[in-house]
Structure formats: structure tokens, C-alpha cells
Amino acid sequence: MTGSSSQIRLLSNAIEFTNQNHRVISQNLANVNTPNFHARQLSFEQLLAQGQNNSIAEGKLPEFKPTDTAGLPARSDGNNVDMDAEVGNLRKNTLIHQTLIQLIGAKFDTMKAAIRS
């Protein structure tokens, strides 16, 4: 059963990652016309690093730290948010989130079936 609970914990952390990533992407989109605003992102490596962290075992939700997106050209007002790229990131993040929700739901369905039998 510990294998199942650790898988659920990892899926839960991945879902939290997509939740926080959605907020970061939404902030980028909301500030597309804000002078000197720099696009930010969460890195998947942070999620992988959290998988090794003991705080996950304690049931704490991880807090991921957004960083400035490197390599984006700035416009004349200093803003470097690319609307098309951010909308694409938002769609990708939504698909990943939906997939994770389906995976954790299937895990719970398997556990319910095992309990019933």
C-alpha cells in the first residue's frame, strides 16, 4: 500500500505544480502590456527535485518558485511576454493537468476495486 500512497502523493504534487504553473502563465498574460514586465516560468526540474524532498513525505504541498524566462526578446517598452507562446503554454499546462486528474482518479478507482473485492 505504501507504493500506492507514494504514487498518489507524487501525482498530487504534479497537480499542484500545474495549478501553480497556471497562475504564473496567467500572470504573464495579464501583464502582456505592462512596461518592463518580464515573463516568468516554473521549471519541470523543480517538480522532479520535490520528488526527492522529504517535505513531500510529511504531506506538505510544495511551493515552486517562478524564474524569469530566459532568451525572450524585449519590446521597446521592456516587456518580453509573447502572447502566442503563453497561450500555447496555458493550453499545454491544461492538458497535462487534465491527464494528471485522470491518472489520480484511475488510481483511486483501482484502490476502491481492491477494497471491494
Side-chain angles (χ1 to χ4, degrees), residues 4 7-8 11 15 98-114 116:
S4 291
Q7 290 172 355
I8 290 171
L11 286 169
I15 290 168
Q98 290 171 345
T99 302
L100 291 168
I101 294 293
Q102 291 173 352
L103 285 171
I104 202 166
K107 194 70 177 160
F108 283 125
D109 288 345
T110 302
M111 290 173 65
K112 283 193 286 188
R116 288 184 185 139

Side-chain angles (χ1 to χ4, degrees), residues 31-58:
N31 287 290
V32 71
N33 292 320
T34 303
N36 297 314
F37 182 85
H38 295 279
R40 300 184 54 83
Q41 68 182 12
L42 292 181
S43 70
F44 185 70
E45 288 77 18
Q46 291 181 35
L47 175 61
L48 295 177
Q50 286 290 339
Q52 310 271 326
N53 192 337
N54 290 337
S55 67
I56 291 174
E58 297 168 9

Side-chain angles (χ1 to χ4, degrees), residues 60-82:
K60 297 178 184 174
L61 284 176
E63 182 66 33
F64 301 101
K65 306 289 184 216
T67 57
D68 284 349
T69 305
L72 295 177
R75 298 187 311 248
S76 60
D77 65 356
N79 187 306
N80 71 350
V81 176
D82 180 346

